[in-house]
Structure formats: C-alpha cells, structure tokens
Coordinates of all heavy atoms in Angstrom, one line a residue:
L1 N 8.6 10.1 4.2 CA 8.0 9.0 3.5 C 6.7 9.5 2.8 O 6.5 9.2 1.6 CB 7.7 7.9 4.5 CG 7.0 6.7 4.0 CD1 7.9 5.9 3.0 CD2 6.7 5.7 5.1
A2 N 5.9 10.2 3.5 CA 4.6 10.6 2.9 C 4.8 11.6 1.7 O 4.1 11.5 0.7 CB 3.7 11.3 4.0
A3 N 5.9 12.5 1.9 CA 6.1 13.4 0.8 C 6.6 12.7 -0.5 O 6.2 13.1 -1.6 CB 7.2 14.4 1.2
V4 N 7.4 11.7 -0.3 CA 7.9 10.9 -1.5 C 6.7 10.2 -2.1 O 6.6 10.2 -3.4 CB 9.0 9.9 -1.1 CG1 9.3 9.0 -2.2 CG2 10.2 10.6 -0.6
L5 N 5.9 9.6 -1.3 CA 4.7 8.9 -1.9 C 3.8 9.9 -2.6 O 3.2 9.6 -3.6 CB 4.0 8.2 -0.8 CG 4.7 7.0 -0.2 CD1 4.0 6.5 1.0 CD2 4.8 5.9 -1.2
L6 N 3.6 11.1 -2.1 CA 2.8 12.1 -2.7 C 3.3 12.4 -4.1 O 2.5 12.5 -5.0 CB 2.7 13.3 -1.8 CG 1.8 14.4 -2.3 CD1 0.3 13.9 -2.5 CD2 1.8 15.6 -1.4
V7 N 4.6 12.6 -4.2 CA 5.2 12.9 -5.5 C 5.0 11.8 -6.4 O 4.6 12.0 -7.6 CB 6.7 13.2 -5.4 CG1 7.4 13.3 -6.7 CG2 6.9 14.5 -4.6
L8 N 5.2 10.6 -6.0 CA 5.0 9.4 -6.8 C 3.5 9.3 -7.3 O 3.3 8.9 -8.4 CB 5.4 8.1 -6.1 CG 6.9 7.9 -5.9 CD1 7.1 6.7 -5.0 CD2 7.6 7.7 -7.3
C9 N 2.6 9.5 -6.4 CA 1.2 9.4 -6.7 C 0.8 10.4 -7.8 O -0.1 10.2 -8.6 CB 0.3 9.5 -5.5 SG 0.5 8.1 -4.4
C10 N 1.4 11.6 -7.8 CA 1.1 12.6 -8.7 C 1.4 12.2 -10.2 O 0.9 12.8 -11.1 CB 1.7 13.9 -8.4 SG 1.0 14.6 -6.8
I11 N 2.4 11.3 -10.4 CA 2.8 11.0 -11.7 C 2.1 9.8 -12.3 O 2.3 9.4 -13.4 CB 4.3 10.8 -11.8 CG1 4.8 9.7 -10.9 CG2 5.1 12.1 -11.4 CD1 6.3 9.3 -11.1
F12 N 1.3 9.1 -11.5 CA 0.6 8.0 -12.0 C -0.8 8.3 -12.5 O -1.4 9.3 -12.0 CB 0.5 6.9 -10.9 CG 1.8 6.4 -10.5 CD1 2.3 6.6 -9.2 CD2 2.7 5.8 -11.4 CE1 3.5 6.1 -8.8 CE2 3.9 5.3 -11.1 CZ 4.4 5.5 -9.8
P13 N -1.3 7.6 -13.4 CA -2.7 7.9 -14.0 C -3.8 7.8 -12.9 O -3.6 7.0 -11.9 CB -2.9 6.8 -15.0 CG -1.7 6.0 -15.1 CD -0.8 6.4 -14.0
P14 N -4.8 8.6 -13.0 CA -5.9 8.7 -12.0 C -6.5 7.3 -11.8 O -7.0 7.0 -10.7 CB -6.9 9.7 -12.5 CG -6.2 10.4 -13.6 CD -5.0 9.6 -14.1
N15 N -6.6 6.5 -12.8 CA -7.3 5.2 -12.6 C -6.6 4.3 -11.7 O -7.1 3.3 -11.2 CB -7.5 4.5 -14.0 CG -6.2 4.1 -14.6 OD1 -5.2 4.6 -14.4 ND2 -6.4 3.1 -15.5
T16 N -5.3 4.5 -11.4 CA -4.5 3.7 -10.4 C -5.2 3.7 -9.1 O -5.3 2.7 -8.4 CB -3.1 4.2 -10.3 OG1 -2.5 4.1 -11.6 CG2 -2.3 3.3 -9.4
L17 N -5.7 4.9 -8.6 CA -6.3 5.0 -7.3 C -7.6 4.1 -7.3 O -7.9 3.4 -6.3 CB -6.7 6.5 -7.0 CG -7.4 6.7 -5.7 CD1 -6.6 6.2 -4.5 CD2 -7.7 8.2 -5.6
E18 N -8.4 4.1 -8.4 CA -9.6 3.3 -8.4 C -9.3 1.9 -8.4 O -10.0 1.1 -7.8 CB -10.3 3.6 -9.7 CG -10.9 5.1 -9.8 CD -11.4 5.4 -11.1 OE1 -11.6 4.5 -12.0 OE2 -11.7 6.6 -11.3
E19 N -8.1 1.5 -9.0 CA -7.7 0.1 -9.0 C -7.3 -0.4 -7.6 O -7.5 -1.6 -7.2 CB -6.6 -0.2 -10.0 CG -7.0 0.0 -11.4 CD -5.8 0.1 -12.4 OE1 -4.7 -0.1 -11.9 OE2 -6.1 0.3 -13.6
V20 N -6.7 0.5 -6.8 CA -6.2 0.2 -5.5 C -7.2 0.2 -4.4 O -7.1 -0.4 -3.4 CB -5.0 1.1 -5.2 CG1 -4.5 1.0 -3.8 CG2 -3.9 0.8 -6.2
Q21 N -8.3 0.9 -4.6 CA -9.3 1.2 -3.6 C -9.9 -0.1 -2.9 O -9.9 -0.2 -1.7 CB -10.5 2.0 -4.1 CG -11.4 2.6 -3.1 CD -10.7 3.5 -2.1 OE1 -9.7 4.2 -2.4 NE2 -11.2 3.5 -0.9
P22 N -10.2 -1.1 -3.7 CA -10.7 -2.4 -3.1 C -9.7 -3.0 -2.2 O -10.0 -3.6 -1.1 CB -11.1 -3.3 -4.2 CG -11.3 -2.3 -5.4 CD -10.4 -1.2 -5.2
M23 N -8.4 -3.0 -2.6 CA -7.4 -3.6 -1.8 C -7.1 -2.8 -0.6 O -6.9 -3.4 0.5 CB -6.1 -3.7 -2.6 CG -5.0 -4.4 -1.8 SD -3.5 -4.7 -2.8 CE -4.0 -6.1 -3.7
K24 N -7.2 -1.5 -0.7 CA -7.1 -0.7 0.5 C -8.1 -1.0 1.6 O -7.8 -1.2 2.8 CB -7.2 0.8 0.2 CG -7.2 1.7 1.3 CD -7.6 3.1 0.9 CE -8.0 4.0 2.1 NZ -8.6 5.2 1.8
E25 N -9.3 -1.2 1.2 CA -10.4 -1.5 2.1 C -10.2 -2.9 2.7 O -10.4 -3.0 3.9 CB -11.8 -1.5 1.4 CG -12.2 -0.1 0.9 CD -13.4 0.0 0.0 OE1 -14.0 -1.1 -0.2 OE2 -13.6 1.0 -0.6
K26 N -9.7 -3.8 1.9 CA -9.5 -5.2 2.5 C -8.3 -5.1 3.5 O -8.4 -5.7 4.6 CB -9.1 -6.1 1.3 CG -8.8 -7.5 1.8 CD -10.0 -8.2 2.4 CE -9.7 -9.7 2.7 NZ -10.7 -10.3 3.5
I27 N -7.3 -4.4 3.1 CA -6.1 -4.3 4.0 C -6.5 -3.6 5.4 O -6.1 -4.0 6.4 CB -5.0 -3.5 3.3 CG1 -4.3 -4.4 2.3 CG2 -3.9 -3.0 4.3 CD1 -3.3 -3.8 1.4
L28 N -7.3 -2.6 5.3 CA -7.8 -1.9 6.5 C -8.5 -2.9 7.4 O -8.4 -2.9 8.6 CB -8.6 -0.7 6.2 CG -7.8 0.5 5.6 CD1 -8.7 1.6 5.2 CD2 -6.8 1.0 6.6
E29 N -9.4 -3.7 6.8 CA -10.1 -4.7 7.6 C -9.1 -5.7 8.2 O -9.3 -6.1 9.4 CB -11.0 -5.5 6.7 CG -12.2 -4.8 6.1 CD -13.0 -5.5 5.1 OE1 -12.8 -6.8 5.0 OE2 -13.8 -4.9 4.4
L30 N -8.1 -6.1 7.5 CA -7.1 -7.1 8.0 C -6.3 -6.5 9.1 O -5.9 -7.1 10.0 CB -6.3 -7.6 6.9 CG -7.0 -8.5 5.9 CD1 -6.1 -8.8 4.7 CD2 -7.5 -9.8 6.5
L31 N -6.0 -5.2 8.9 CA -5.2 -4.5 10.0 C -5.9 -4.4 11.3 O -5.3 -4.6 12.4 CB -4.9 -3.1 9.5 CG -3.7 -2.9 8.5 CD1 -3.7 -1.5 7.9 CD2 -2.4 -3.3 9.1
E32 N -7.3 -4.3 11.2 CA -8.1 -4.2 12.5 C -8.0 -5.5 13.3 O -8.0 -5.4 14.5 CB -9.5 -3.9 12.1 CG -9.8 -2.5 11.7 CD -11.3 -2.3 11.4 OE1 -12.1 -2.9 12.1 OE2 -11.6 -1.5 10.6
V33 N -7.8 -6.6 12.6 CA -7.7 -7.9 13.3 C -6.3 -8.5 13.3 O -6.1 -9.6 13.6 CB -8.7 -8.9 12.7 CG1 -10.2 -8.5 13.0 CG2 -8.5 -9.1 11.2
R34 N -5.4 -7.6 12.9 CA -3.9 -7.9 12.9 C -3.6 -9.2 12.2 O -2.8 -10.0 12.6 CB -3.4 -8.0 14.4 CG -3.6 -6.7 15.1 CD -3.2 -6.8 16.5 NE -3.6 -5.6 17.2 CZ -2.8 -5.0 18.1 NH1 -1.6 -5.5 18.4 NH2 -3.1 -3.9 18.7
K35 N -4.1 -9.3 11.0 CA -3.8 -10.5 10.1 C -2.7 -10.1 9.2 O -2.9 -10.0 7.9 CB -5.0 -11.0 9.4 CG -6.0 -11.6 10.4 CD -7.1 -12.4 9.7 CE -8.0 -13.0 10.7 NZ -8.8 -14.0 10.1
Y36 N -1.5 -9.9 9.7 CA -0.4 -9.4 8.9 C 0.1 -10.3 7.8 O 0.4 -9.9 6.7 CB 0.8 -9.0 9.8 CG 0.4 -8.0 10.9 CD1 0.5 -8.2 12.2 CD2 -0.2 -6.7 10.5 CE1 0.1 -7.3 13.2 CE2 -0.6 -5.8 11.4 CZ -0.4 -6.1 12.8 OH -0.9 -5.2 13.7
P37 N 0.1 -11.6 8.1 CA 0.5 -12.6 7.0 C -0.4 -12.5 5.8 O 0.0 -12.6 4.6 CB 0.5 -13.9 7.6 CG 0.7 -13.7 9.1 CD 0.0 -12.4 9.3
E38 N -1.7 -12.3 6.0 CA -2.6 -12.1 4.9 C -2.4 -10.9 4.1 O -2.5 -10.8 2.9 CB -4.1 -12.2 5.4 CG -4.5 -13.6 5.9 CD -5.9 -13.7 6.3 OE1 -6.8 -13.0 5.7 OE2 -6.2 -14.3 7.3
I39 N -2.1 -9.8 4.8 CA -1.8 -8.5 4.2 C -0.5 -8.7 3.3 O -0.5 -8.3 2.1 CB -1.6 -7.4 5.2 CG1 -2.9 -7.1 6.0 CG2 -1.1 -6.1 4.5 CD1 -2.7 -6.2 7.2
A40 N 0.5 -9.3 3.9 CA 1.8 -9.6 3.1 C 1.5 -10.4 1.9 O 2.0 -10.1 0.8 CB 2.8 -10.3 4.0
S41 N 0.6 -11.3 1.9 CA 0.2 -12.1 0.8 C -0.5 -11.3 -0.3 O -0.3 -11.5 -1.5 CB -0.7 -13.3 1.2 OG -1.0 -14.1 0.1
L42 N -1.4 -10.4 0.2 CA -2.1 -9.5 -0.8 C -1.2 -8.6 -1.5 O -1.4 -8.3 -2.7 CB -3.1 -8.7 0.0 CG -4.4 -9.3 0.3 CD1 -5.3 -8.4 1.2 CD2 -5.2 -9.7 -0.9
V43 N -0.2 -8.0 -0.8 CA 0.7 -7.0 -1.4 C 1.9 -7.5 -2.2 O 2.5 -6.7 -2.9 CB 1.1 -5.9 -0.4 CG1 -0.2 -5.2 0.2 CG2 1.9 -6.5 0.7
K44 N 2.2 -8.7 -2.0 CA 3.5 -9.2 -2.5 C 3.7 -9.2 -4.0 O 4.8 -9.0 -4.5 CB 3.8 -10.7 -2.0 CG 2.9 -11.7 -2.7 CD 3.2 -13.1 -2.1 CE 2.2 -14.0 -2.7 NZ 2.7 -15.1 -3.4
D45 N 2.6 -9.2 -4.8 CA 2.7 -9.2 -6.2 C 2.2 -7.9 -6.9 O 2.0 -7.9 -8.1 CB 1.9 -10.4 -6.8 CG 2.6 -11.7 -6.4 OD1 3.8 -11.8 -6.4 OD2 1.8 -12.7 -6.1
M46 N 2.0 -6.9 -6.0 CA 1.6 -5.6 -6.6 C 2.6 -5.0 -7.5 O 3.8 -5.2 -7.3 CB 1.3 -4.6 -5.5 CG 0.1 -4.9 -4.6 SD -0.2 -3.7 -3.3 CE -0.9 -2.4 -4.4
N47 N 2.2 -4.2 -8.4 CA 3.2 -3.4 -9.2 C 3.6 -2.2 -8.3 O 2.8 -1.7 -7.5 CB 2.7 -3.1 -10.6 CG 1.7 -2.0 -10.6 OD1 1.8 -0.9 -10.1 ND2 0.6 -2.3 -11.3
P48 N 4.8 -1.7 -8.6 CA 5.3 -0.5 -7.7 C 4.4 0.7 -7.7 O 4.2 1.3 -6.7 CB 6.7 -0.2 -8.3 CG 7.1 -1.5 -9.0 CD 5.8 -2.1 -9.5
A49 N 3.8 1.0 -8.9 CA 2.9 2.2 -8.9 C 1.7 2.0 -8.0 O 1.4 2.9 -7.3 CB 2.5 2.4 -10.4
D50 N 1.1 0.8 -8.1 CA 0.0 0.6 -7.2 C 0.4 0.6 -5.7 O -0.4 1.0 -4.9 CB -0.7 -0.7 -7.6 CG -1.5 -0.6 -8.9 OD1 -1.7 0.5 -9.4 OD2 -1.8 -1.7 -9.5
A51 N 1.5 0.0 -5.4 CA 2.0 0.0 -4.1 C 2.2 1.4 -3.5 O 1.8 1.7 -2.4 CB 3.3 -0.8 -4.0
A52 N 2.8 2.3 -4.3 CA 2.9 3.7 -3.9 C 1.6 4.4 -3.7 O 1.4 5.1 -2.7 CB 3.7 4.5 -5.0
V53 N 0.7 4.1 -4.5 CA -0.7 4.7 -4.4 C -1.3 4.2 -3.1 O -1.9 4.9 -2.3 CB -1.5 4.5 -5.6 CG1 -3.0 4.9 -5.4 CG2 -1.0 5.3 -6.8
L54 N -1.3 2.9 -3.0 CA -1.9 2.2 -1.8 C -1.3 2.8 -0.5 O -2.1 3.2 0.4 CB -1.6 0.7 -1.8 CG -2.0 0.0 -0.5 CD1 -3.6 0.0 -0.4 CD2 -1.5 -1.4 -0.5
L55 N 0.0 2.9 -0.4 CA 0.6 3.5 0.8 C 0.2 4.9 1.1 O -0.1 5.3 2.2 CB 2.1 3.4 0.7 CG 2.7 2.0 0.8 CD1 4.2 2.0 0.4 CD2 2.5 1.3 2.2
E56 N 0.1 5.7 0.0 CA -0.3 7.1 0.2 C -1.8 7.2 0.7 O -2.1 8.1 1.4 CB -0.2 7.8 -1.1 CG -0.6 9.3 -1.1 CD 0.2 10.1 -0.1 OE1 1.4 9.9 0.2 OE2 -0.4 11.1 0.5
E57 N -2.6 6.3 0.2 CA -4.0 6.3 0.6 C -4.3 5.8 2.0 O -5.4 6.0 2.5 CB -4.8 5.5 -0.5 CG -4.9 6.2 -1.8 CD -5.6 7.6 -1.7 OE1 -6.7 7.6 -1.2 OE2 -5.0 8.6 -2.2
L58 N -3.4 5.0 2.6 CA -3.6 4.5 3.9 C -3.6 5.6 5.0 O -2.8 6.5 4.8 CB -2.6 3.4 4.2 CG -2.7 2.1 3.4 CD1 -1.5 1.2 3.7 CD2 -4.0 1.4 3.8
P59 N -4.3 5.4 6.1 CA -4.1 6.3 7.2 C -2.6 6.3 7.6 O -1.9 5.3 7.6 CB -5.0 5.7 8.3 CG -6.0 4.9 7.5 CD -5.3 4.4 6.3
E60 N -2.2 7.5 8.1 CA -0.8 7.6 8.4 C -0.2 6.6 9.4 O 0.9 6.1 9.3 CB -0.6 9.0 9.0 CG 0.9 9.4 9.1 CD 1.0 10.9 9.5 OE1 0.3 11.7 9.0 OE2 1.9 11.2 10.4
Q61 N -1.1 6.2 10.4 CA -0.6 5.2 11.4 C -0.4 3.8 10.8 O 0.3 3.0 11.3 CB -1.5 5.2 12.6 CG -2.9 4.6 12.3 CD -3.9 5.6 11.9 OE1 -3.6 6.7 11.5 NE2 -5.2 5.2 12.0
N62 N -1.1 3.5 9.6 CA -1.1 2.2 9.0 C 0.0 2.1 7.9 O 0.5 1.0 7.6 CB -2.4 1.8 8.4 CG -3.5 1.7 9.4 OD1 -4.5 2.4 9.3 ND2 -3.3 0.9 10.5
M63 N 0.4 3.2 7.4 CA 1.4 3.2 6.3 C 2.7 2.5 6.6 O 3.1 1.6 5.8 CB 1.7 4.7 5.9 CG 2.5 4.7 4.6 SD 3.1 6.4 4.2 CE 1.6 7.4 4.3
P64 N 3.3 2.7 7.8 CA 4.6 2.0 8.0 C 4.4 0.5 8.2 O 5.3 -0.3 7.8 CB 5.1 2.7 9.3 CG 4.3 3.9 9.6 CD 3.0 3.7 8.8
I65 N 3.3 0.1 8.7 CA 3.0 -1.3 9.0 C 3.0 -2.0 7.6 O 3.6 -3.0 7.4 CB 1.7 -1.5 9.7 CG1 1.8 -0.9 11.1 CG2 1.4 -3.0 9.8 CD1 0.5 -0.8 11.8
V66 N 2.2 -1.5 6.7 CA 2.0 -2.1 5.4 C 3.3 -2.0 4.6 O 3.7 -3.0 3.9 CB 0.8 -1.5 4.6 CG1 0.7 -2.1 3.2 CG2 -0.5 -1.7 5.4
F67 N 4.0 -0.9 4.7 CA 5.3 -0.7 4.0 C 6.3 -1.9 4.4 O 7.0 -2.5 3.6 CB 5.9 0.6 4.3 CG 7.3 0.8 3.7 CD1 7.4 1.1 2.3 CD2 8.4 0.7 4.4 CE1 8.6 1.3 1.7 CE2 9.7 0.8 3.8 CZ 9.8 1.1 2.4
R68 N 6.3 -2.2 5.7 CA 7.2 -3.2 6.2 C 6.8 -4.6 5.7 O 7.6 -5.6 5.7 CB 7.3 -3.2 7.7 CG 8.0 -2.0 8.3 CD 8.2 -2.1 9.8 NE 8.4 -0.8 10.3 CZ 7.6 -0.1 11.1 NH1 6.5 -0.7 11.5 NH2 7.9 1.1 11.5
L69 N 5.5 -4.8 5.3 CA 5.1 -6.0 4.8 C 5.3 -6.2 3.3 O 5.2 -7.4 2.8 CB 3.6 -6.2 5.1 CG 3.2 -6.3 6.6 CD1 1.7 -6.2 6.8 CD2 3.7 -7.5 7.2
L70 N 5.7 -5.2 2.6 CA 6.1 -5.3 1.2 C 7.4 -6.0 1.1 O 8.3 -5.9 1.9 CB 6.2 -3.9 0.6 CG 5.0 -3.0 0.5 CD1 5.5 -1.6 0.0 CD2 4.0 -3.6 -0.5
P71 N 7.5 -6.9 0.0 CA 8.8 -7.5 -0.2 C 9.8 -6.3 -0.5 O 9.5 -5.3 -1.0 CB 8.6 -8.3 -1.5 CG 7.1 -8.5 -1.6 CD 6.5 -7.3 -0.9
K72 N 11.1 -6.6 -0.1 CA 12.1 -5.5 -0.2 C 12.2 -4.9 -1.6 O 12.3 -3.7 -1.7 CB 13.5 -6.0 0.3 CG 13.5 -6.3 1.8 CD 14.9 -6.8 2.2 CE 14.8 -7.2 3.7 NZ 16.1 -7.7 4.2
E73 N 12.2 -5.8 -2.6 CA 12.4 -5.3 -3.9 C 11.2 -4.4 -4.3 O 11.4 -3.4 -5.0 CB 12.5 -6.4 -4.9 CG 12.9 -6.0 -6.3 CD 13.1 -7.2 -7.2 OE1 13.8 -8.1 -6.8 OE2 12.6 -7.1 -8.4
L74 N 10.0 -4.8 -4.0 CA 8.8 -4.0 -4.3 C 8.8 -2.7 -3.6 O 8.5 -1.7 -4.1 CB 7.5 -4.8 -3.9 CG 6.2 -4.1 -4.1 CD1 6.0 -3.5 -5.5 CD2 5.1 -5.0 -3.7
A75 N 9.2 -2.7 -2.3 CA 9.3 -1.5 -1.5 C 10.3 -0.5 -2.2 O 10.0 0.7 -2.3 CB 9.7 -1.8 -0.1
A76 N 11.4 -1.0 -2.6 CA 12.4 -0.2 -3.3 C 11.9 0.4 -4.6 O 12.1 1.5 -4.9 CB 13.7 -0.9 -3.5
D77 N 11.3 -0.5 -5.4 CA 10.7 -0.1 -6.7 C 9.6 0.9 -6.5 O 9.4 1.8 -7.4 CB 10.2 -1.3 -7.5 CG 11.3 -2.2 -8.0 OD1 12.5 -1.8 -8.0 OD2 11.0 -3.3 -8.4
A78 N 8.9 0.9 -5.5 CA 7.8 1.8 -5.3 C 8.3 3.2 -5.1 O 7.6 4.2 -5.4 CB 7.0 1.4 -4.0
F79 N 9.6 3.4 -4.7 CA 10.2 4.7 -4.6 C 11.1 5.0 -5.7 O 11.7 6.1 -5.7 CB 10.9 4.8 -3.2 CG 10.0 4.7 -2.1 CD1 9.8 3.6 -1.3 CD2 9.2 5.8 -1.7 CE1 8.9 3.5 -0.3 CE2 8.4 5.8 -0.7 CZ 8.2 4.6 0.1
A80 N 11.2 4.2 -6.7 CA 12.1 4.5 -7.8 C 11.5 5.4 -8.8 O 10.4 5.7 -8.9 CB 12.5 3.2 -8.5

C-alpha cells in the first residue's frame, strides 16, 4: 500500500502536498479522539490525487484507518 501511494505521490504536482497539509492536521486531531464519522465526512469529496497524497503523508498506523473511511469509488480512484 505504501509503495503504491509513494509512486502516485511522485506524479502529482508539489502544491498538492501543501493543499492537503491542513486536512492532514485536522484528521490527526480527529483520530486522537476517535471521531471517525467526522473524518469520513472530511474525506468523502476529496479528489483522488489529494486522497493519495493525504494517505502517504499520514503516519503508517493511521493510513489504513483513513483508507477504510474513504468512499469505495474514491479509494479505487486514488490508486488508478
């Protein structure tokens, strides 16, 4: 999973990381207090490129949790 995300992140423009950073910080805060529905609400309308960058930037232990909260179509598109 991490290797695929790394490849995807390499093909996206550098500004994508800057765009995702505030969301990453918010998601990490929500993960600490286990507010999973709020995380799902935040990520549901992301574009696939940003979702891939976000997942790559999360700590390894948090990546699977957030991945499972993505809508199925978005999760599939993030790896397309």
Side-chain angles (χ1 to χ4, degrees):
L1 179 63
V4 173
L5 290 172
L6 181 59
V7 170
L8 287 172
C9 290
C10 292
I11 63 173
F12 296 117
N15 65 338
T16 303
L17 179 57
E18 294 170 10
E19 294 169 3
V20 170
Q21 192 64 29
M23 182 174 283
K24 172 191 166 190
E25 292 170 11
K26 179 67 175 171
I27 288 173
L28 290 173
E29 290 173 15
L30 292 170
L31 283 168
E32 285 183 32
V33 292
R34 300 177 185 222
K35 294 196 173 190
Y36 304 121
E38 289 183 40
I39 297 169
S41 180
L42 279 175
V43 299
K44 70 180 175 125
D45 295 321
M46 291 182 77
N47 72 53
D50 289 343
V53 171
L54 172 67
L55 290 169
E56 179 60 32
E57 289 298 308
L58 289 172
E60 192 172 316
Q61 70 271 16
N62 298 124
M63 188 188 312
I65 297 167
V66 176
F67 179 77
R68 288 186 204 116
L69 294 170
L70 293 173
K72 289 180 185 180
E73 186 174 319
L74 175 56
D77 289 345
F79 291 103

